[in-house]
Every structure is written in structure tokens, then in C-alpha cells.
């Protein structure tokens, strides 16, 4: 007899969460988009619309709620700065599992501390998605790749995402998965935000600064237990399409709340803890946001 499919709650139905909730609902999963009042009201009124070359265009009437159903299998897709606000309701819902798709490396400790006894796994997602409005999502990348560590093998959310059409790869430790994404994201996000240019121009404008950032990111990764060289980071970063922009850059340009602290701040904190100097990253963080960590 096959396992009954659990209710899946997507907490944070923005660009990433909305896209995944839409995909899951289209695939026939029992999915609920869990958000704040205005977004929930908008989804109830309009459904979630996705505009995507990869998946096609369409509206799905995804059920929406401000509360997490008890015992649900949860996908967390808030921004890092929104995580603290959802932790109490997440803990109260006693989820059967929690799959985090947040960018960054510091949030997993926070999640685990709030959810003792709950299976929690940190995965990463490579996708380019942007909200055109509260309920309309532009899926701009031809890919939607989710990297899940070995510990997430068997998660109902992972199986459902794969069945719904996301490209899911399972392998490695959580630290390896999160740092692989973080090394790429942090290098690109800091340089694109500093130069206010797409990746290609941001990497080539000041080669010395670029090399310094890549070396500091690699050194922090190594210090955190996931060895990497600047050369390895450079190969991955240089394989990204030159015209790509990052969500940190977009958020800073729009004056929106942003993940500068979860990206640059985290690297500076990791450097401080491990005796790794991060002068280039500090210069960029000060210049773009003035938000140096405590
Ligand atoms: N967009 C992308 O292409 C990519 C994003 N990521 C990562 O995925 C994560 C989500 O990003 P993204 O989807 O772009 O972000 P969005 O801002 O589009 O969506 C975030 C969602 O989280 C909700 N949220 C934020 N703060 C709170 C809060 N305090 N309480 C409850 N809900 C909250 C928002 O609520 P509301 O609806 O009320 O605004 C929104 O629904 C981030 O860590 C990002 O770095 C990773 C790869 C690519
Ligand atoms: C790496 C990138 C640009 C796309 O996946 C991203 O995660 C972001 O901009 O937040």
C-alpha cells in the first residue's frame, strides 16, 4: 500500500514559495500556502499565477491560510529576516518534517533550536523567480533545481517536489549543500550589489576586488568545514550567465528589506569566529548597506 500523501504547507508564498505551491497544487498535492493576512487574502481572491517558459503560464487556486495545519509537512520559503516571525507558529503546528529552502548558512541552527524532535533539513534552490505582485510570479530561469542533502532522502516534500516537476538531486551533507549554494550566491550577491551591475560586469570591473571576495568566501567555507579554493569558486561564479542579477541587488535597489546580513554579515561573523580576515567583504557590506554585524 502506498503512503498517504501528507498536507504540505508552504510557509512564505512569495517568489520561490509561491512557485512551488503552484507546482505542487498543479500536480494534485494537498498544498496550503501559509502567509501573512494580505497575501493570504490576495491568494484566496486570485489564486497564484505563474508565468514561466519552463512550466507554462496558469493560475492555480491554491488554498491559503495564515496558520500552519497541525502535523503538516512544511516547506519554509520566507526570507531569512522573516524566519524568526514564523518560528512560534511552526513549533506550535508540530510539523511532521521541515524542508528549508532559504539562502544562507546560519538559519539552520535557529530552525533546529525552535523545533526539537522535528526532522529538519536544509536544502538549496537554484531558480530565478520574482514577484510581479502578491499573487503573480515570474519564473525567469529555465531551471528549478533543488539540492537536498542525504538526510532529506525520504522526505514527503522532496518526493512531492520531484513528482511535481522540479529537478531534485539528493546527495552530500547539509553543510556541503548549503555552502555550495552560499559560495556562489554570496560572491555574486555582494559584487552585483556593490557595482549595481549584472554578474558579468560586476565580476570584471575590479579584478582585484573580485579575487579578494572569492578568496574570502572560499576561506570562510573552508573554516566552516567545507573546504573550497578561490579557484573553485571562480569557476562556478564565471559559469553564471553574464546578464544575471541577484535578489540582494534587486532588494537593495528597491529599498526593500534584504538579506545583506544573512549573506555578508554571516561571512564576517564566520571569519571573526575562525580567525579568517574578511576585509573585502567588510568594505562591500559597509558600502552597500552600512549594516556591519553586531
Ligand atoms: N527569488 C529567487 O529567485 C530566489 C530566492 N532564494 C531564496 O529563497 C528565499 C525566499 O525568497 P523569495 O521567494 O525571493 O522572497 P519573497 O520576498 O518573494 O517571498 C518571501 C515570502 O515570505 C513571507 N515573509 C517574509 N517575512 C515574513 C514574516 N515576517 N512572516 C511571515 N511571512 C513572511 C513573505 O510574506 P508576504 O507575502 O507577506 O510579503 C513572502 O510570502 C530567500 O532566502 C531567498 O534568498 C533562493 C534562490 C532564488
Ligand atoms: C544565486 C541566485 C542569483 C539564483 O539562484 C540567488 O539565489 C539569488 O539571487 O538569491
Amino acid at each position: 500500500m502506498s503512503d498517504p500523501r501528507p498536507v504540505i504547507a508552504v510557509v512564505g508564498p512569495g517568489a520561490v514559495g509561491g512557485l512551488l505551491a503552484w507546482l505542487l497544487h498543479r500536480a494534485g498535492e494537498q498544498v496550503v500556502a501559509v502567509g501573512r493576512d494580505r497575501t493570504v487574502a490576495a491568494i484566496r481572491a486570485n489564486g497564484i499565477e505563474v508565468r514561466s517558459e519552463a512550466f507554462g503560464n496558469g493560475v492555480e487556486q491554491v488554498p491559503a491560510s495564515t496558520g500552519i495545519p497541525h502535523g503538516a509537512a512544511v516547506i519554509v520559503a520566507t526570507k531569512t529576516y522573516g524566519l524568526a516571525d514564523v518560528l512560534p507558529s511552526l513549533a506550535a503546528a508540530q510539523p511532521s518534517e521541515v524542508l528549508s529552502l532559504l539562502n544562507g548558512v546560519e538559519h539552520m541552527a535557529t530552525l533546529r533550536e525552535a523545533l526539537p524532535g522535528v526532522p529538519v533539513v536544509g536544502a538549496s534552490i537554484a531558480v530565478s523567480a520574482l514577484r510581479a505582485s502578491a499573487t503573480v510570479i515570474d519564473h525567469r530561469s529555465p531551471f528549478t533545481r533543488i539540492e537536498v542533502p542525504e538526510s532529506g532522502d525520504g522526505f514527503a516534500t522532496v518526493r512531492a517536489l520531484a513528482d511535481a516537476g522540479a529537478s531534485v538531486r539528493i546527495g552530500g551533507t547539509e553543510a556541503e549543500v548549503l555552502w555550495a549554494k552560499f559560495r556562489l550566491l554570496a560572491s555574486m550577491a555582494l559584487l552585483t550589489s556593490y557595482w549595481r551591475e549584472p554578474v558579468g560586469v560586476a565580476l570584471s570591473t575590479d579584478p582585484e576586488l573580485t579575487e579578494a571576495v572569492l578568496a574570502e568566501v572560499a576561506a570562510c567555507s573552508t573554516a566552516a568545514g567545507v573546504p573550497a579554493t578561490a579557484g573553485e569558486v571562480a569557476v562556478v561564479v564565471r559559469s553564471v550567465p553574464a546578464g544575471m542579477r541577484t535578489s540582494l541587488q534587486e532588494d537593495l535597489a528597491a529599498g526593500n528589506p534584504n538579506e545583506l546580513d544573512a549573506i555578508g554579515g554571516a561571512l564576517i561573523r564566520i571569519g571573526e569566529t575562525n580567525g579568517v580576515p574578511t576585509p573585502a567583504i567588510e568594505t562591500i557590506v559597509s558600502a552597500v548597506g552600512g549594516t556591519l554585524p553586531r
Side-chain angles (χ1 to χ4, degrees), residues 31-121:
V31 59
V32 182
V34 178
R36 296 185 280 198
D37 293 344
R38 271 174 48 182
T39 298
V40 166
I43 294 176
R44 283 180 178 160
N46 308 314
I48 296 178
E49 179 177 354
V50 166
R51 305 188 292 214
S52 164
E53 279 193 21
F55 297 126
N57 303 335
V59 178
E60 289 290 325
Q61 300 299 332
V62 181
S65 168
T66 53
I68 303 171
H70 193 267
V74 171
I75 297 172
V76 182
T78 61
K79 295 276 201 179
T80 47
Y81 53 78
L83 183 61
D85 285 350
V86 302
L87 287 178
S89 51
L90 199 47
Q94 298 187 309
S96 54
E97 63 179 52
V98 173
L99 182 76
S100 163
L101 293 174
L102 304 195
N103 273 331
V105 289
E106 294 182 323
H107 56 282
M108 293 311 299
T110 313
L111 263 171
R112 289 207 166 89
E113 202 178 310
L115 299 169
V118 176
V120 176
V121 162

Side-chain angles (χ1 to χ4, degrees), residues 178-257:
L178 294 184
W179 272 98
K181 171 72 191 281
F182 193 55
R183 290 192 299 263
L184 168 72
L185 166 75
S187 306
M188 283 168 50
L190 291 171
L191 288 162
T192 54
S193 300
Y194 186 66
W195 294 112
R196 302 179 191 193
E197 295 284 357
V199 172
V201 175
L203 285 173
S204 59
T205 302
D206 179 347
E208 240 175 75
L209 179 68
T210 298
E211 292 315 312
V213 168
L214 301 188
E216 290 173 20
V217 168
C220 286
S221 178
T222 302
V226 187
T229 64
E232 286 163 350
V233 181
V235 169
V236 181
V237 171
R238 295 216 158 89
S239 70
V240 166
M244 195 160 173
R245 304 169 71 83
T246 62
S247 52
L248 178 64
Q249 166 186 28
E250 312 264 24
D251 283 339
L252 284 164
N256 290 338

Side-chain angles (χ1 to χ4, degrees), residues 190 193 248 252 258-266 284-286 288-291:
L190 291 171
S193 300
L248 178 64
L252 284 164
N258 59 71
E259 296 185 315
L260 180 62
D261 185 66
I263 299 173
I284 291 178
V285 170
S286 306
V288 303
T291 326

